[in-house]
Amino acid sequence: MKIAVCIKRVPVQEGRFAIAPSGTAIDEAGLKYDVNDFDLWAVEAALRLKEKAGQGEVVIVSLGPDAVQEQIRKALSMGADRGLQLRASAVPPDPFVVATALADALRGGGYDLILFGRVAVDDAFGATGAIAAHLLGLPCVTGISTLEIANGRGRARRELEGAQEVMEFPLPAVLTIDEGLNKERLPSLKGIMAAKKKPLEVRAATLAEPRVTVRRLELPAERAAGRIVGQGAAAVPELVRLLQTEAKVL
Amino acid sequence: MPTILAYVETRAGAVRKVGLEAVAAARATADAAGGGEVHALVVGAPGVGAAAGALGEDGADAVLVLEHPAFERYNPEATSAVVADRLTRGGYRLGLLGSSAQGRDLAPRVAGVLGVPVVTDVTALRLEGEDVVVTHPIDTGKVIATLVVRGTPALVALRPGAVAAGPAPRQPRVETIAAVGDPAATRVVTTELTLGTSTRLDLGDAPVIVSGGRGLRSAENFRLVEELAGAFGNAAVGATRAVTDEGWRPHSEQIGQTGRLVSPDLYVAVGISGAIQHLAGMRTSRTIVAINKDKDAPIFKVADYGIVGDVFEVVPALTAAVRAARSAS
Ligand SMILES: Cc1cc2nc3c(=O)[nH]c(=O)nc-3n(C[C@H](O)[C@H](O)[C@H](O)COP(=O)(O)OP(=O)(O)OC[C@H]3O[C@@H](n4cnc5c(N)ncnc54)[C@H](O)[C@@H]3O)c2cc1C
Ligand SMILES: Nc1ncnc2c1ncn2[C@@H]1O[C@H](COP(=O)(O)O)[C@@H](O)[C@H]1O
């Protein structure tokens, strides 16, 4: 099993977001960064598949500035074998451009599976994996929450709104991982030490001219400050009155 | 004047609400740009075209129908080939889809085939000369981006329920179209579709949602949430990820970043802390009520009305009061 996992460095979402003076970028000061959650679940899936197969290689790929090496090392400390950074000063907000650069780097790599997260929590497109699959000429299933592989074929379940579907596909394939597949392992101390010695190759990314660009970023309008109606069951009559007369939803 | 293609999502032979929304948004976008035709594309098993005429209600000038047994369940590869083929041959300015599980899958595939730009989870759009200008929440809804998409056609997937459009009915012409290649000869095949069995309102349609969190402590205690929903009469039940992880409720009821995005008239959060990933799915609700015993819980920051208290005491009282209020009116 040779598996590639594409991971993105993203701001930790619990942080306080502010807009940079340019008006077109996030102010990075004060934000913490980590691997996109969905990508961690993808790394975990790759490690389990390799463990089950008893042999293989898990390769981590991330496009971005040198800071992404921190996230690649985290995946290596979980147990992945080697890393590849596609160096770019910034990640463009155009999933087609990112997918093209990732596909170029993955093409001809002999991977049985190429895993993506279902969506990057920062740009929130969820498009990169399926575009890359097409560019690579590989079958693709998106947003999977279960996966079984046997005899060169795969079977995966996707959550829909109030329903589920099962898709079957031949390997090699591209999959994008939703939650539910598994929880990621924590890097062990031994893993962290070992990761320092694992190979991390750096190549320049070739990025096409983006066709999606940011005109403006804004913080959403704050909801008007709410109020505590009261404590315990005693507050219920007043709440019901407000729902009837003020919110008019009852 | 732009011609716009709207992909009408279906499931088990029935048109989904997001499909109608794509048509209505296409109508509104075309009209705002000085008029232009809206073509609705319906792909499904034989019989699916029965819905075609009704799409005029949402503003379609033409309905393109493709019926083939290989489309009984969602067929991602053959459907993307058809949508891509239509977009190239019809001289369309824009392809619109719903940003549902199906639309989010289909849009990037079509973009791949055509080599055109794609944006998903869009909450507003307009044409501006060569550009499509879209609104798209990023960073779990903590930042709102205005993006410029350059390219013809461009693909835009719309957040369910986000793009409001007024009625613009017309009498559409219905055309039958052919598949591209053999739609039964695809690598990826959907072998099963399991529909939810709930008889309650769907989360996407319900005017009221009562959601429960870990504060309920067990699957059995969700009875309290069910009863409150029942008292409203027009409510669906939702849950947090903590709850679906525990297996107290099915994943299909999860609200938030990795669940459903909802915007009901009233959202009642019961025993929910208000984590950012949960807020991302419900903060655009019109009125939010929170019941939590911790007065510092973050949910109170977005709630219009809060009660600090024990759910096991407050919820039964609220259920009784809502029942009484509704029977009195
Ligand atoms: C990538 C990612 C995606 C995620 N996606 C989602 C998502 O889609 N949806 C989602 O919901 N979460 C999501 N999460 C998880 C999220 O971060 C929170 O862990 C989760 O929302 C917490 O659920 P909760 O509010 O039920 O539980 P808790 O945070 O444990 O809150 C329970 C609350 O109940 C209150 N309480 C306890 N007992 C009582 C009582 N007797 N009476 C009244 N109040 C009581 C407590 O004060 C507390 O505030 C995601 C996380 C990640 C990392
Ligand atoms: N800069 C990047 N480097 C590596 N992988 C990426 C990058 N951007 C996106 N991806 C992958 O594509 C997935 C979907 O991203 P997006 O389409 O941006 O939501 C992510 O979960 C990652 O797996």
Side-chain angles (χ1 to χ4, degrees):
Chain A
M1 267 283 171
K2 187 171 175 187
I3 306 173
V5 187
C6 295
I7 68 166
K8 188 177 188 191
R9 172 185 169 87
V10 297
V12 171
Q13 299 293 299
E14 281 76 7
R16 221 185 153 74
F17 283 78
I19 311 298
S22 68
T24 57
I26 304 277
D27 180 359
E28 295 190 6
L31 289 177
K32 290 201 185 70
Y33 285 78
D34 199 347
V35 181
N36 183 41
D37 302 87
F38 295 85
D39 305 354
L40 282 177
W41 300 329
V43 172
E44 179 65 34
L47 293 173
R48 288 193 195 183
L49 286 167
K50 178 187 153 182
E51 284 158 9
K52 192 150 172 252
Q55 47 83 37
E57 189 183 25
V58 175
V59 181
I60 305 296
V61 184
S62 188
L63 182 152
D66 287 347
V68 307
Q69 291 181 13
E70 186 191 340
Q71 278 65 46
I72 296 176
R73 289 280 176 214
K74 174 167 178 177
L76 296 180
S77 68
M78 288 168 68
D81 298 288
R82 62 184 172 88
L84 170 62
Q85 177 198 355
L86 300 174
R87 182 180 272 153
S89 56
V91 181
D94 182 341
F96 202 99
V97 170
V98 176
T100 307
L102 291 171
D104 286 348
L106 293 163
R107 195 168 288 117
Y111 298 104
D112 300 296
L113 285 174
I114 301 177
L115 305 186
F116 290 78
R118 175 174 73 71
V119 63
V121 296
D122 59 347
D123 70 25
F125 282 127
T128 307
I131 299 171
H134 182 83
L135 299 173
L136 290 164
L138 293 176
C140 173
V141 181
T142 64
I144 68 170
S145 53
T146 70
L147 174 64
E148 296 154 40
I149 304 279
N151 306 321
R153 292 189 59 82
R155 191 183 135 85
R157 187 177 295 274
R158 298 167 18 91
E159 294 284 343
L160 313 176
E161 301 78 18
Q164 297 182 323
E165 60 195 8
V166 174
M167 290 188 179
E168 298 187 6
F169 55 93
L171 267 50
V174 171
L175 303 172
T176 84
I177 308 298
D178 200 355
E179 70 169 328
L181 200 58
N182 43 50
K183 287 250 182 308
E184 76 275 12
R185 65 195 65 189
L186 294 175
S188 65
L189 196 56
K190 199 164 141 239
I192 294 170
M193 297 311 289
K196 293 191 174 137
K197 297 192 204 78
K198 288 181 177 170
L200 198 171
E201 185 193 342
V202 180
R203 280 187 225 161
T206 348
L207 292 174
E209 191 64 35
R211 292 172 294 181
V212 180
T213 50
V214 176
R215 175 175 288 177
R216 190 169 63 245
L217 297 184
E218 289 157 301
L219 299 180
E222 289 279 325
R223 286 189 75 94
R227 65 183 116 142
I228 300 290
V229 177
Q231 314 276 327
V236 164
E238 174 63 1
L239 173 63
V240 169
R241 192 189 68 78
L242 289 166
L243 291 179
Q244 286 179 309
T245 58
E246 203 176 81
K248 300 196 170 40
V249 287
L250 191 63
Chain B
M1 285 193 296
T3 312
I4 301 179
L5 185 69
Y7 173 75
V8 181
E9 180 173 331
T10 61
R11 184 191 288 168
V15 168
R16 298 196 67 226
K17 193 167 163 223
V18 281
L20 303 179
E21 287 173 4
V23 177
R27 176 80 272 148
T29 307
D31 289 350
E37 291 221 327
V38 170
H39 297 181
L41 174 59
V42 185
V43 178
V48 81
L55 293 167
E57 289 300 310
D58 300 283
D61 299 289
V63 184
L64 315 175
V65 180
L66 169 52
E67 296 187 337
H68 188 291
F71 293 108
E72 188 185 339
R73 290 183 282 267
Y74 174 50
N75 183 335
E77 293 179 349
T79 307
S80 55
V82 171
V83 177
D85 181 63
R86 271 293 117 193
L87 279 171
T88 359
R89 295 211 266 148
Y92 295 99
R93 175 69 189 85
L94 204 59
L96 290 185
L97 314 81
S99 208
S100 56
Q102 189 179 116
R104 289 192 310 255
D105 182 87
L106 188 56
R109 288 180 193 268
V110 177
V113 177
L114 295 176
V116 300
V118 58
V119 285
T120 61
D121 198 24
V122 162
T123 55
L125 83 156
R126 66 171 192 278
L127 297 172
E128 211 183 87
E130 294 297 293
D131 300 329
V132 191
V133 179
V134 304
T135 308
H136 168 66
I138 62 171
D139 288 305
T140 327
K142 284 189 165 182
V143 177
I144 308 297
T146 304
L147 303 174
V148 180
V149 187
R150 178 152 292 192
T152 301
L155 285 158
V156 176
L158 304 162
R159 177 181 286 204
V163 181
R170 53 205 66 211
Q171 286 290 331
R173 41 178 209 283
V174 178
E175 293 169 28
T176 312
I177 63 166
V180 179
D182 178 2
T186 57
R187 298 167 299 182
V188 176
V189 177
T190 304
T191 53
E192 284 172 37
L193 170 68
T194 320
L195 299 176
T197 48
S198 172
T199 50
R200 276 195 185 286
L201 283 174
D202 181 78
L203 284 168
D205 301 331
V208 176
I209 293 176
V210 183
S211 264
R214 206 197 312 264
L216 268 305
R217 277 197 228 128
S218 73
E220 294 73 56
N221 291 335
F222 256 77
R223 189 178 38 79
L224 296 179
V225 174
E226 297 261 2
E227 283 168 4
L228 179 53
F232 278 106
N234 56 353
V237 171
T240 63
R241 183 163 112 189
V243 164
T244 57
D245 273 356
E246 293 281 357
W248 298 346
R249 302 296 294 189
H251 182 275
S252 57
E253 289 180 2
Q254 183 172 315
I255 293 180
Q257 187 181 27
T258 42
R260 300 286 294 273
L261 304 175
V262 296
S263 264
D265 293 336
L266 175 64
Y267 189 91
V268 185
V270 176
I272 292 176
S273 62
I276 162 84
Q277 294 90 355
H278 187 77
L279 301 184
M282 48 62 76
R283 71 183 317 151
T284 54
S285 304
R286 204 154 64 78
T287 299
I288 298 174
V289 169
I291 302 163
N292 194 305
K293 69 176 182 192
D294 172 9
K295 68 170 181 18
D296 297 321
I299 190 75
F300 287 127
K301 292 218 173 63
V302 302
D304 301 281
Y305 309 117
I307 293 184
V308 178
D310 186 343
V311 294
F312 299 102
E313 179 207 340
V314 177
V315 175
L318 182 57
T319 302
V322 168
R323 249 191 225 124
R326 286 191 66 237
S327 62
S329 62

